Amino acid sequence: MAAYILKRLLLMVPTLVGILLVSFVVIQFVPGGPVEQLVQELRGRGAGGEVAATSNVYRGSQGVDPERLAEIRALYGFDRPAHERFLDMLWRYLRFDLGTSYFHHKGVWELIVEKLPVSMSLGLWSFLITYAVSIPLGIAKAVRNGSRFDLVTSTAILVGYAIPGFVLGVALLVLFGGGSFLQVFPLRGLTSDNFAELSLMGQVLDYFWHLAMPLACLVVGSFAVTTMLTKNVFLEEIRKQYVLVARAKGLPERRVFYRHVFRNALIPLVTAFPAAFVGAFFAGSLLIETIFSLDGLGLLSYEAVIRRDYPVVLGALYVFSLIGLVTKLVTDLCYTWVDPRVKFDAA
């Protein structure tokens, strides 16, 4: 096992380098980079772009002189060859120095940490609610397969799955966010302006009061996949030969289910926990964050792509790729923890 873990850790290095290399090469061919955007902004302001006091003639259409353009390219590091910039970026990333944003003028780490509370709040609670509801519901559906309860719950979760989260968000805002009907829930932010003045219980209630509508939009469509997966896995185990043998020996149905079926059926669900847990943190929904005015990692990544803020784009990609690779390793190790029969060093 130690040799397997070491080999996986060593393989992460070329994988990360490959991801960054492909992304870096693609970025070189994307039009409208940070230099071009700043030049366009300077032209818009008028690199002599004030209104002349005497003639009232706007001079904003004048271009940027070559010396100023060279200064801008040097400011962003584009005065050096691409391979030098890539190697310099790799060396900084090895020291976990993600650089500074071109437009926010802050460190990339600082920006990620600043936006993380929103993504953590949405991700953590949506993950917990989804699994807390879906797994018991899937088990109940498997036990009552074909019953009216199974039919009604399947219809309900599939209808929820068919409704896009952003459409539900707009509907909730209209109905309960002060749109055309009621003002029940707040429209923006994770907390109220007077959050610090509230009691501990008041702060908890205020926090979940702000999260109610965004979480509803995120989890309603998530129930279907996990619930149906749980149901199908349990049904598959219930129909296996060892269950028939256990019943033939006269074991109580409750013992057969919880002692044998439950443990084996949970293997694919438990081993998916690490990826689902981490993914929920960092796969924030841009549309949900935009609709409810939540400034999280989804909005940060979108703005970085639009503005060609390459340090933020590549830095966020590096962090998420590293977390993803580590999560895949943890997921594989969970197989051996749940089922000791799994051996990675076997032929």
Side-chain angles (χ1 to χ4, degrees):
M1 181 59 66
Y4 173 78
I5 295 175
L6 179 61
K7 182 167 69 174
R8 287 290 298 271
L9 290 174
L10 292 176
L11 285 174
M12 288 182 189
V13 177
T15 304
L16 275 175
V17 173
I19 292 172
L20 291 173
L21 177 60
V22 172
S23 304
F24 186 84
V25 171
V26 170
I27 281 175
Q28 306 309 306
F29 296 98
V30 174
V35 173
E36 290 79 2
Q37 292 204 7
L38 184 55
V39 168
Q40 194 66 29
E41 184 179 346
L42 290 174
R43 285 175 178 167
R45 291 179 190 166
E50 69 282 353
V51 176
T54 56
S55 61
N56 288 332
V57 176
Y58 180 65
R59 301 179 184 276
S61 60
Q62 293 182 354
V64 179
D65 58 84
E67 293 78 9
R68 187 71 177 275
L69 183 60
E71 291 177 4
I72 295 173
R73 294 182 62 84
L75 175 66
Y76 291 137
F78 287 96
D79 57 331
R80 296 184 298 161
H83 69 278
E84 289 186 12
R85 288 186 280 119
F86 179 72
L87 293 176
D88 178 65
M89 181 189 71
L90 284 183
W91 172 242
R92 286 189 292 103
Y93 282 6
L94 287 175
R95 296 178 283 121
F96 287 94
D97 175 12
L98 302 184
T100 304
S101 168
Y102 291 154
F103 294 93
H104 294 278
H105 305 294
K106 291 182 179 179
V108 176
W109 271 119
E110 184 181 352
L111 282 172
I112 292 176
V113 172
E114 185 180 302
K115 312 297 183 183
L116 198 56
V118 171
S119 298
M120 287 182 63
S121 297
L122 295 176
L124 175 63
W125 292 113
S126 63
F127 169 82
L128 292 177
I129 293 171
T130 299
Y131 273 82
V133 172
S134 298
I135 290 182
L137 181 60
I139 294 173
K141 287 171 65 63
V143 173
R144 299 172 178 82
N145 183 41
S147 66
R148 180 177 297 179
F149 170 80
D150 183 29
L151 177 62
V152 171
T153 53
S154 295
T155 303
I157 62 174
L158 290 176
V159 168
Y161 182 72
I163 300 175
F166 67 91
V167 173
L168 180 60
V170 173
L172 291 177
L173 284 177
V174 172
L175 293 174
F176 304 111
S180 303
F181 295 91
L182 302 173
Q183 174 67 63
V184 179
F185 297 102
L187 297 179
R188 59 178 57 86
L190 285 180
T191 56
S192 300
D193 295 335
N194 62 336
F195 183 78
E197 303 171 4
L198 301 175
S199 63
L200 178 60
M201 182 56 65
Q203 290 179 344
V204 172
L205 293 175
D206 181 76
Y207 173 71
F208 285 107
W209 182 47
H210 283 75
L211 279 178
M213 290 197 294
L215 282 180
C217 299
L218 287 173
V219 302
V220 164
S222 305
F223 290 142
V225 175
T226 309
T227 300
M228 299 309 293
L229 173 63
T230 304
K231 175 191 173 182
N232 293 333
V233 168
F234 272 83
L235 278 178
E236 183 182 355
E237 289 297 323
I238 288 172
R239 294 166 178 167
K240 285 186 176 179
Q241 190 70 30
Y242 73 88
V243 177
L244 297 177
V245 172
R247 287 171 174 166
K249 288 182 177 180
L251 293 178
E253 190 67 23
R254 187 179 184 87
R255 185 177 180 184
V256 171
F257 187 80
Y258 287 103
R259 188 71 179 270
H260 300 282
V261 175
F262 191 78
R263 179 177 179 180
N264 291 329
L266 279 183
I267 289 177
L269 298 175
V270 171
T271 51
F273 275 5
F277 184 71
V278 175
F281 273 71
F282 297 101
S285 172
L286 167 65
L287 292 175
I288 299 301
E289 291 180 10
T290 303
I291 289 172
F292 294 101
S293 300
L294 297 172
D295 192 8
L297 290 174
L299 194 57
L300 174 67
S301 301
Y302 173 74
E303 290 179 346
V305 172
I306 294 300
R307 293 179 173 180
R308 305 296 192 267
D309 196 349
Y310 295 151
V312 176
V313 174
L314 291 170
L317 177 67
Y318 172 73
V319 172
F320 297 160
S321 299
L322 182 60
I323 292 174
L325 291 171
V326 173
T327 303
K328 290 292 291 181
L329 176 58
V330 174
T331 300
D332 289 344
L333 296 179
C334 283
Y335 277 103
T336 62
W337 175 65
V338 175
D339 188 353
R341 296 172 298 175
V342 175
K343 301 294 182 183
F344 290 113
D345 55 352

